[in-house]
Amino acid sequence: MHSPSATEPEDPTSSSATLEDFARVFQAIKADPQNASYTVAGIDPLYTAGPDARVAIVGQAPGRIAQDTQIPWNDKSGERLREWLGMDRATFYDPSQVAIVPMDFYFPGAGKSGDLPPRPGFAQKWHPVLFQMMPRIQLVVLVGSYATRHYLGLRASERLTDVVRDYQKYGPRYFPLAHPSPRNRMWVRRNPWFEAEVLPQLRVRVAQALKG
């Protein structure tokens, strides 16, 4: 677990975190040497979090469009994810209801076949700090293989398809999902149980958590 520095909340306990504590964590992330190249370039970490959030969405990392606009999931994947969740845009971007905490808060760059993976160690350092400050989180939606493997401690041999099909095994806190990228449309077509069985239950779980 990350040890808070002097620029972070002195005691961000689950019962007392304030918006000022979240602001100090934001500044600490910017000041972290791991993120120096982004901070020097004027790029802020991209995530949303608040003490009253009840649903957390953990994805891969911001894409280039998200980073350029400073709006997470600001693309076709985000539109599809909100459809899957049964959530409107206003709720999705309301930190008093939803926390958006990807595995890396910065765009890691583009690779040959898509964006590069999240940087190792980033989520391990900052997620515990933020989740400790969000005691009302009831549901953590894990989007894609990086988030799913990190939080569920999966073996390398376990396929994401099987994990998503067995989503009930990981409840009530976690709900694993495939990535909503347009590139995964064929996956959805090959696995009709996902839209028929998994998504309706996801929407029920999201609605219940938001009411809680």
Side-chain angles (χ1 to χ4, degrees):
M1 180 175 175
H2 174 63
S3 298
S5 69
T7 56
E8 294 172 33
E10 294 181 3
D11 182 23
T13 61
S14 61
S15 61
S16 63
T18 66
L19 293 178
E20 288 75 17
D21 291 326
F22 282 89
R24 282 192 284 271
V25 169
F26 182 83
Q27 293 301 323
I29 295 170
K30 291 179 62 174
D32 190 323
Q34 184 183 19
N35 309 320
S37 61
Y38 295 98
T39 301
V40 168
I43 300 171
D44 286 340
L46 188 56
Y47 67 100
T48 64
D52 296 321
R54 295 178 293 281
V55 174
I57 298 169
V58 183
Q60 180 171 325
R64 184 178 295 279
I65 294 174
Q67 181 161 281
D68 289 348
T69 60
Q70 281 296 288
I71 302 174
W73 290 99
N74 190 26
D75 54 17
K76 294 295 183 182
S77 294
E79 293 177 9
R80 199 170 191 210
L81 176 59
R82 288 187 286 274
E83 179 185 348
W84 286 1
L85 296 168
M87 188 181 293
D88 61 37
R89 189 178 177 91
T91 303
F92 187 80
Y93 289 118
D94 180 357
S96 71
Q97 300 187 74
V98 177
I100 302 173
V101 282
M103 294 295 292
D104 193 335
F105 298 164
Y106 298 87
F107 172 54
K112 292 182 179 180
S113 59
D115 293 347
L116 294 174
R119 292 170 297 167
F122 187 93
Q124 290 87 336
K125 182 185 295 185
W126 293 109
H127 280 200
V129 175
L130 289 168
F131 275 102
Q132 184 183 18
M133 298 165 68
M134 298 188 292
R136 298 188 65 187
I137 294 291
Q138 297 185 25
L139 179 65
V140 180
V141 180
L142 304 172
V143 185
S145 61
Y146 292 102
T148 301
R149 293 190 181 282
H150 173 73
Y151 273 95
L152 302 183
L154 303 176
R155 298 186 300 272
S157 60
E158 294 185 79
R159 300 190 312 152
L160 181 59
T161 296
D162 296 331
V163 173
V164 173
R165 188 195 294 268
D166 295 335
Y167 69 94
Q168 293 175 316
K169 175 181 176 182
Y170 306 101
R173 183 166 179 83
Y174 297 112
F175 202 113
L177 286 180
H179 198 282
S181 167
R183 296 182 181 183
N184 279 346
R185 285 175 181 163
M186 287 302 299
W187 180 90
V188 173
R189 292 193 188 109
R190 289 196 304 268
N191 298 281
W193 49 265
F194 178 69
E195 290 187 311
E197 302 170 22
V198 176
L199 290 187
Q201 288 302 309
L202 172 64
R203 291 166 186 147
V204 169
R205 294 279 305 282
V206 167
Q208 290 174 338
L210 290 175
K211 290 178 181 177

